Amino acid sequence: MQAEAERSPAGLIAASVACARCPACGADIDMRRAAGNELSMRRCPSCRSLCALPFPSPEELAAYYNSDYSVIDAGLTPRRRANWTPLLEKAERLAGLRNGIEIGSSTGAFLRLATERGWTMAGVELDARARQAHARTSPDIPVRATVEAAREAGIDHADAAWVLHTIEHLPDPEAVLRETLDLMTPGAPIAVTTPNGMSLECRVLGPLWEWWTPPAHLTLFSPRGACLLLERAGFEIVSVETRRGDSSGAAANAALAPARFLKRRLRGERQQRSSVSSVTQRVAACINLLYDPISNPLRGRLYRHHQGPELVIVARRPGPRTNRPDGLETMGEAAR
């Protein structure tokens, strides 16, 4: 086991996926259609998820995340609160006690919001820079580099889990979800958000879509693919929906596509900077302010048919909510 500082972004996974196999459903993907060693997003013939093939090695991912990729934390913005609060509310309806864990906690904004609502939280985050930023703002909320490290630190059960815009970054998300399942109490819910590879925006804009960004995003899951992934990891699906979420929106994506094309040509395809307060996001907000009143009816229909840009899947660990390992009853059991 490597030391935490030496772990690459692929360190959460048990083994790198080296073959052309869909991370969502496990189906084979014809590698003959991929261009040499250059990353190419290919549709899985079975679940229709988009996969970046050939998958980078753990060393290549480590080099990428330590150079071209960066996340700028904007804290708990009103938009983040609006996106995350429903995920917390649903967990509060489904969970027993309020011990939660977030996989891929970044700089800890969601952890802080959950703590505000009375949750006792822990996080898992591979990026040492993100963990350091979190430690400066919320040192009382523990964050470890891996699920295994969290377990070794005594974080050995959770009444709910959140995996927010994380599975698309992992070569083997099933392994991470299985590790998370092992931490969860019977009946505990898990909320997963991820870009929707079958959204209208993705299918129309293709490589110019804001979330079509290999090697940062290795898999753009279809609704079916994401559900199959969770079921293969041992979860039962509770609900599936799509929404705008963290996306810039259809009109903004289309309007900004030419600028995105020029930016990628000048800076390179691999360079990614993510910020919820960037100039691009502010421009997108202005475009949506004008366009949304016109598009609301159409957007509502698209989202109901699972064609919105962000997937939100709630699942649960099988089994009824039972007495916790420490002997404490869940809130549901105590109420009965």
Side-chain angles (χ1 to χ4, degrees):
M1 188 81 177
Q2 291 174 299
E4 287 187 8
E6 297 174 345
R7 294 299 296 264
S8 75
L12 273 176
I13 63 175
S16 176
V17 179
C19 64
R21 191 173 295 276
C22 176
C25 68
D28 290 329
I29 300 176
D30 188 357
M31 281 293 291
R32 291 173 298 179
R33 300 179 62 192
N37 292 323
E38 184 178 349
L39 278 178
S40 176
M41 298 294 281
R42 315 305 307 183
R43 283 262 180 216
C44 171
S46 178
C47 73
R48 307 302 293 163
S49 296
L50 278 162
C51 310
L53 299 173
F55 285 119
S57 68
E59 292 75 21
E60 289 170 332
L61 281 176
Y64 169 71
Y65 278 98
N66 286 316
S67 58
D68 295 317
Y69 185 88
S70 61
V71 175
I72 303 169
D73 181 39
L76 273 173
T77 63
R79 183 181 180 185
R80 280 182 159 180
R81 287 181 179 273
N83 285 338
W84 290 342
T85 298
L87 304 179
L88 285 161
E89 290 174 343
K90 178 159 281 192
E92 288 160 7
R93 292 193 296 270
L94 297 173
L97 298 177
R98 292 194 179 188
N99 290 313
I101 189 166
E102 183 188 5
I103 308 299
S105 56
S106 188
T107 53
F110 179 82
L111 296 176
R112 295 193 291 275
L113 178 62
T115 301
E116 287 180 8
R117 296 179 63 91
W119 286 83
T120 299
M121 293 296 296
V124 172
E125 174 54 53
L126 284 165
D127 189 333
R129 295 169 299 177
R131 293 200 308 274
Q132 291 165 3
H134 164 75
R136 288 193 293 269
T137 57
S138 304
D140 295 334
I141 304 176
V143 173
R144 297 292 183 266
T146 66
V147 176
E148 183 178 348
R151 188 188 296 278
E152 291 173 352
I155 305 168
D156 56 2
H157 62 268
D159 301 296
W162 294 266
V163 187
L164 309 180
H165 282 269
T166 296
I167 60 172
E168 64 270 20
H169 293 269
L170 303 173
D172 190 0
E174 183 182 346
V176 179
L177 290 172
R178 286 187 180 277
E179 287 184 315
T180 306
L181 180 78
D182 290 341
L183 284 180
M184 298 170 64
T185 56
I190 182 171
V192 176
T193 63
T194 190
N196 181 7
M198 285 297 289
S199 67
L200 178 64
E201 296 164 34
C202 178
R203 288 182 287 129
V204 170
L205 294 174
L208 293 181
W209 189 38
E210 61 183 328
W211 282 334
W212 188 301
T213 55
H217 290 171
L218 295 175
T219 309
L220 298 176
F221 292 89
S222 68
R224 179 170 181 267
C227 289
L228 287 172
L229 169 66
L230 282 158
E231 288 172 345
R232 291 171 64 207
F235 290 96
E236 295 176 347
I237 304 300
V238 174
S239 65
V240 182
E241 61 183 89
T242 64
R243 63 181 187 177
R244 174 178 290 165
D246 288 342
S247 168
S248 298
N253 260 286
L256 293 170
R260 188 173 293 122
F261 173 78
L262 291 174
K263 180 180 177 181
R264 290 179 180 177
R265 288 295 296 269
L266 292 173
R267 293 188 177 183
E269 291 284 344
R270 293 170 60 87
Q271 187 171 20
Q272 301 293 332
R273 289 173 63 83
S274 175
S275 172
V276 295
S277 61
S278 66
V279 173
T280 300
Q281 291 290 348
R282 291 195 290 271
V283 172
C286 293
I287 295 173
N288 292 330
L289 188 64
L290 297 173
Y291 181 73
D292 280 356
I294 303 171
S295 65
N296 274 337
L298 174 61
R299 193 170 68 252
R301 285 197 293 270
L302 288 173
Y303 290 5
R304 285 192 296 272
H305 287 84
H306 295 165
Q307 295 186 52
E310 183 179 274
L311 268 172
V312 181
I313 299 179
V314 176
R316 64 190 290 272
R317 177 174 176 171
R321 289 195 312 220
T322 57
N323 288 353
R324 283 267 303 281
D326 54 13
L328 296 175
E329 291 180 314
T330 65
M331 292 173 65
E333 293 289 336
R336 289 194 291 272

